[in-house]
Structures are given as C-alpha cells and as structure tokens.
C-alpha cells in the first residue's frame, strides 16, 4: 500500500502518471487501451488510500479509462464510504428537499399569480399575490447557484474547469436556476401577459421535474439503470415512431378525403365550425328526473350526456389526425364510419379494417418485439457506468470542499474516522439489546424484565427520536449505519458484453504478441540459414580451389611422365 500511495517530487500519485500517459493513447489503439486498463486494475486492486488526490486523479482519466475505473469494486466501495459521510449526506438531503420544495411552491405561486392576473374574487375581494411565497424559491435558486459556483471553483483549482464547461448537466442546472429566478421576478412584478405566463410556467414545470429525475438518477443506481434503459428504448423506437406517424397521417388523409364531400359534414364543405373540440357543452340543466339536458346543435350530439363529442371527426384534417391517434389507443366508435351514402360508408369501413390490422395488430406486435429484444441490452451496465461517474464527480466535489474548509479532516482521514466511531459504537450498543442472547426460560426474573423494558424503550423511543433528530439536522446526527443504509448503492460489475469484449481484446493482444514472436523467430531462422548457406558456399569454393590445384599438379606430373617416356 505504501508504494501505491507514494508520490513523486511534484506530489503526483502513480495514477496521475498513468492518466497523463493515457491521454496520449488513441481510442482505436486497442492493445494500449487493454494495457492501460490492466495497469489501472492492478493499481486499484492494491487498495490505495481514498484521498482527494486519488479522486481527482480518477476524474482526470480519459473517458474510456474512467469508465473502466468506476466499475472497479474498490472504487465503488470508496465512493459509497465517502458519500455516506456527514457532509455529503447533508448536501444530498438539502438538494432533495430543495428540488421537491421548488416544485410544490412554484405550483402555489403560479396559481396565486394567475388568480391575480385574471382578477379572481375570493370572499368579496380581488385576490392579491402574496410575495412571501417567493422567498423559498429565491432560497432554492441561491442554494443551487452556490453549488454550481463551488463546483466550478473546485474544478478550476484542479485545472479541470473545461470539464465543468463541457458538462451538459451543469448548463441544465444554470437553466434551472435562471427559470426559478426569472419567473419569481415575473410573478413579483406582474410582468408579461397572462397567456405567455401560462405557457412559460408550463414549460418550466417540465424543467423542474426533469431536474428531480436527474437527481434521482445520479443517486440511485436502480433508477439510473431504468432511466438509461428508457432512453435506450426511445432511441431504438425512432424509426418505429416515424413509421407510425406516417401511417397515422396517411389514414387521416384517407378518411378525411372519403368524408370531405359527404353528407356527414356540414353543408358538404369539408370544414367544421370548430375543429378543436376541447370544451364541454354549455347550458346544461337537470330535468325533473335528475338527468342532464343540454342544448342541441347541428354538429354536437349529447346522447344523454354533457360530455364534449364530435360525431363527424373526419370533416377536418386536424380532427381526423386526432381521431386516428385515439383509435390507435382503443377509442373506437362504429358510428364514426356511418354515412347516408352506402358507397362512402363501405369504403370507410374497408379502410377502418385495414387501419386496425396495420396499426393495432402489426405495429403493436412490432413494438412489443422491439422492446423485448432491447431488454437484454437495457440490462447492460452502461447506465451504471454513468451513475458511478456522476457519483465520482459529486464525491470529488464534496472532498475538495471539505479539504478547503478543513472541516475536521486530515489527509489520512484518521480524525474523521475517530469522529464517526463514537456514534457507530453507540448505535451498536443499542442494536446489541435486540440480540436474543438472554435466557428467556425465567420470564419473571428481574434481569429478563429489565432487559425487555430496555428493548421496548430503545425501539419505541430512543431509535425513532434519534432518527427524527438526524433528519431535522439533515443527517448530521445520524449514526454511520443509517447514513450507509440510505446513501450506499449496490455494487455493479462489468457486464457480460463488456467482459466478453475485454476478453476478446486480451486474446487479440496475446495473438498479436505470439505472431510478433513467431515473426522474429522466423527471421532469425532465415538469417541463420542464410549464414549457413554462405558458409557452405565458402567451403565449396575452397574445395573447388583445392581440386583445381590438385588437377594442375596431376597435369604437371603426367606431362613430365610423357616427356620422360619420349
């Protein structure tokens, strides 16, 4: 552990050097990527101390290596331990309270503002907007603005300010803060028209709820996987939804064309007096029997009810599209295809049957098949990777803030552990009371009665009171066991697909290394063979030279013999 926690002369941990080298690795260089992942895995398996330097070093890793790091169980254990401490728990609870508070109070403020804008009279007086309801909204905006400023400054101190700028979630938080302040000022001053105010606040509701969903996604791994799977399914359904829109518009135009000049449409003009049927019938009264009676018009029929209805939806293209959409959802009435002209009615019924087959039967089953096929992919750990990456950013931010403020924290965390141990031991003593290690055979003994009373008092008074006080103090006075239970997330491991991919990369790397070694051996063998061939050639040349010399000597001897004989 001393080696992995050691730093160089500049104060950098070994993981800093790995991060620097990994930044230069190209994404398509699979061999180097696998080697970097192996090195990081060995380093994290050695369980380095969970210091702020380690967390910031993990943040500085390239995305492909950071995704590998956050899936490591040791990193996840560190993040769970860090986030269950007092300060991160308090900040998380503040965030949740302010998100919920903003939604509730924004709704009340908008209602009061609309009543003032439309001059609603209550108890004989015109409603006046209460400015005090805006105070919590300003406090909420100030809290999240402070969070963003601290996060930006902490990353800037680490030289990672570009990370803050390039993160879309930070800009969404800025939008969230701006909308809260903008509409609070608007409600305070009464600016803008009522209609514009209604539209703008309706869109703001969507932003408020999206922010709450993102918060839950960043703090609950199950919710993160669900949201990630939902987004994945929607992406897979883009082509399906496009085909569905085309089919709905096509059938809407078909039905609109069939009934356009029929007797079902008023005056056969193809135009409806009110294509948007969005209001109930007026002038409805109860008769002597208690039933509702409404005024009749030439294009509304009540059929004994006072619900809005449109008996001829195909006379206008917009109502035709709307009716096709509701038919897809199961709202079908045979009377919609009735017409005095039998030819029009028979053609409408034919296309109605074709519509039901194409949309309800075929497309519905295609939708089920797409979602079912995507289920296996939804269960992958990509969403979990994003979840743990977000948790890493949050924990690193909290660690930097704690280090900067020097809140009872030393570099090795000993002071913080000592501070936590007191409450942890006290909680363990209370839990020890519920271990049934006392002899219950003599239920009338003094020891048994006292022990039982202590259990009742602890379960009914002490523990609930401790939990309530801890909640009031936003988790500061909770024991570590409660904070761990609430804040820790289940560990996630590398998915099967990613593991198989990693295994394939290891096999490819091994094969590449084997081929390289074989190539070197073949080259050495070729060089050795060439050298041996050269040696053989030299031996042959020497033998040839010797043979030539011997032949010349023989020739000289034979010549001398002939001369002697002659």
């Amino acid at each position: 552990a001393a080696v992995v926690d050691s730093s160089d002369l500049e104060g950098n941990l070994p993981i800093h050097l790995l991060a620097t080298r990994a930044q230069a690795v190209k994404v398509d260089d699979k061999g180097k990527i696998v080697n970097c992942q192996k090195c990081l895995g060995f380093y994290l398996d050695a369980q380095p101390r969970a210091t702020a330097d380690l967390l910031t070093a993990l943040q500085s890793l390239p995305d492909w290596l950071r995704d590998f790091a956050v899936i490591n169980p040791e990193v996840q254990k560190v993040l769970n331990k860090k986030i269950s401490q007092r300060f991160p728990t308090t900040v998380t609870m503040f965030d949740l309270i302010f998100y919920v508070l903003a939604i509730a109070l924004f709704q009340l403020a908008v209602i009061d503002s609309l009543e003032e804008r439309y001059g609603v009279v209550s108890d004989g007086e015109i409603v006046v907007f209460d400015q005090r309801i805006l105070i919590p909204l300003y406090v909420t905006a100030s809290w999240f603005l402070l969070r963003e400023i601290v996060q930006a400054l902490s990353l800037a101190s680490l030289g990672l300010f570009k990370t803050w700028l390039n993160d879309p979630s930070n800009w969404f938080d800025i939008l969230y803060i701006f909308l809260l302040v903008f509409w609070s000022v608007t409600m305070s001053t009464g600016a803008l028209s009522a209609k514009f105010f209604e539209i703008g606040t309706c869109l703001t509701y969507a932003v408020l709820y999206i922010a709450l969903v993102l918060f839950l996604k960043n703090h609950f791994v199950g919710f993160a996987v669900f949201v990630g799977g939902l987004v994945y399914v929607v992406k897979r359904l883009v082509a399906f939804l496009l085909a569905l829109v085309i089919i709905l518009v096509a059938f809407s135009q078909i039905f609109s064309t069939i009934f356009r000049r029929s007797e079902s449409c008023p005056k056969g003009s193809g135009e409806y007096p009110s294509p948007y049927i969005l209001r109930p019938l007026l002038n409805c009264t109860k008769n002597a029997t208690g039933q509702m009676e409404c005024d009749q018009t030439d294009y509304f029929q009540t059929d004994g009810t006072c619900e809005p209805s449109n008996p001829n939806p195909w006379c206008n293209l917009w109502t035709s599209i709307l009716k096709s959409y509701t038919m897809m959802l199961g709202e079908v009435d045979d009377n919609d295809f009735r017409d005095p002209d039998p030819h029009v009615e028979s053609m409408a019924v034919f296309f109605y049957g074709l519509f039901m087959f194409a949309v309800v039967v075929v497309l519905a089953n295609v939708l089920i098949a797409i979602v079912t096929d995507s289920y296996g992919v939804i269960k992958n750990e990509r969403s979990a990777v994003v979840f743990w990456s977000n948790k890493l950013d949050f924990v690193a931010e909290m660690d930097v803030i704690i280090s900067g403020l020097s809140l009872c924290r030393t570099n090795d965390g000993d002071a913080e552990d000592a501070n936590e141990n007191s409450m942890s031991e006290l909680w363990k003593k209370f839990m020890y009371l519920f271990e049934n290690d006392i002899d219950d055979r003599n239920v009338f003994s003094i020891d048994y009665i006292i022990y039982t009373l202590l259990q009742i008092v602890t379960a009914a008074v002490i523990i609930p009171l401790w939990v309530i006080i801890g909640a009031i103090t936003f988790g500061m006075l909770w024991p570590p066991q409660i904070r761990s239970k609430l804040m820790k997330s289940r560990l996630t491991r590398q998915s099967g697909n990613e593991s198989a991919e990693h295994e394939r990369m290891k096999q490819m790397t091994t094969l590449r290394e084997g081929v390289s070694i074989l190539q070197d051996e073949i080259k050495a063998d070729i060089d050795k063979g060439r050298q041996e061939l050269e040696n053989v050639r030299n031996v042959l040349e020497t033998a040839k030279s010797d043979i030539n010399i011997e032949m010349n000597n023989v020739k000289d001897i034979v010549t001398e013999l002939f001369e002697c004989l002659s």
Side-chain angles (χ1 to χ4, degrees), residues 290-355:
Q291 295 181 345
M292 299 297 296
E293 292 183 350
C294 304
D295 294 342
Q296 303 293 321
T297 65
D298 57 344
Y299 58 98
F300 279 122
Q301 295 180 0
T302 60
D303 295 329
T305 66
C306 287
E307 295 182 359
S309 60
N310 186 351
N312 302 304
W314 312 115
C315 299
N316 180 273
L317 182 58
W318 169 247
T319 55
S320 178
I321 295 175
L322 184 60
K323 182 61 181 178
S324 298
Y325 179 74
T326 56
M327 283 173 56
M328 179 189 68
L329 300 178
E331 184 181 332
V332 182
D333 188 359
D334 294 341
N335 295 324
D336 294 334
F337 302 95
R338 304 298 181 186
D339 192 85
D341 189 345
H343 298 287
V344 173
E345 183 174 340
S346 60
M347 187 176 296
V349 171
F350 169 77
F351 281 104
Y352 162 70
L354 186 61
F355 174 87

Side-chain angles (χ1 to χ4, degrees), residues 223-244:
F223 199 83
V225 174
F226 169 75
V227 173
L230 183 62
V231 172
Y232 179 82
V233 171
V234 172
K235 291 180 178 179
R236 288 286 303 271
L237 291 177
V238 170
F240 171 83
L241 294 176
L242 180 60
L244 179 61

Side-chain angles (χ1 to χ4, degrees), residues 149-203:
I149 293 175
V150 171
Q151 182 183 9
L153 292 178
S154 62
L155 291 175
S157 64
L158 300 172
L160 299 174
F161 185 69
K162 288 185 177 180
T163 303
W164 186 90
L165 290 177
N166 296 330
D167 190 352
S169 62
N170 293 327
W171 292 105
F172 180 82
D173 294 337
I174 297 297
L175 175 64
Y176 180 91
I177 298 169
F178 170 78
L179 289 177
L180 280 181
V181 175
F182 176 80
W183 291 117
S184 297
V185 173
T186 301
M187 288 184 282
S188 176
T189 59
L192 304 179
S193 63
K195 292 297 180 183
F196 185 85
F197 179 78
E198 290 176 350
I199 296 173
T201 51
C202 287
L203 296 177

Side-chain angles (χ1 to χ4, degrees), residues 78-225:
V78 168
L79 296 180
N80 276 333
K81 180 181 178 181
K82 288 285 186 179
I83 202 170
S84 59
Q85 293 175 350
R86 284 192 178 93
F87 187 72
T89 301
T90 301
V91 173
T92 302
M93 292 185 66
F94 266 114
D95 287 347
L96 178 60
I97 290 173
F98 280 122
Y99 277 124
V100 177
L101 191 67
I103 293 175
L105 295 182
F106 188 78
Q107 170 72 21
L108 296 177
V110 168
I111 293 175
D112 288 350
S113 181
L114 287 174
E115 290 180 350
E116 182 186 42
R117 291 169 185 269
Y118 284 105
V120 176
V121 178
S122 178
D123 298 331
E125 297 181 354
I126 299 178
V127 174
V128 179
F129 182 74
D130 188 1
Q131 301 284 342
R132 292 176 297 179
I133 199 173
L134 298 178
I135 296 177
L137 295 180
Y138 286 122
V139 174
T140 301
S142 301
W143 166 257
F144 288 114
L145 180 61
L146 177 63
R147 292 268 283 103
E148 288 301 316
I149 293 175
V150 171
Q151 182 183 9
L153 292 178
S154 62
L155 291 175
S157 64
L158 300 172
L160 299 174
F161 185 69
K162 288 185 177 180
T163 303
W164 186 90
L165 290 177
N166 296 330
D167 190 352
S169 62
N170 293 327
W171 292 105
F172 180 82
D173 294 337
I174 297 297
L175 175 64
Y176 180 91
I177 298 169
F178 170 78
L179 289 177
L180 280 181
V181 175
F182 176 80
W183 291 117
S184 297
V185 173
T186 301
M187 288 184 282
S188 176
T189 59
L192 304 179
S193 63
K195 292 297 180 183
F196 185 85
F197 179 78
E198 290 176 350
I199 296 173
T201 51
C202 287
L203 296 177
T204 303
Y205 283 132
V207 175
L208 297 181
Y209 278 99
I210 291 174
L212 179 60
V213 170
L214 293 178
F215 170 81
L216 296 175
K217 183 176 74 71
N218 292 336
H219 289 81
F220 300 97
V221 62
F223 199 83
V225 174

Side-chain angles (χ1 to χ4, degrees), residues 3 119 130 206 224 299 351 358 374 414 444 456 518:
V3 177
D130 188 1
Y299 58 98
F351 281 104
S374 303
D414 292 337
F444 297 104
I456 294 174
L518 180 61

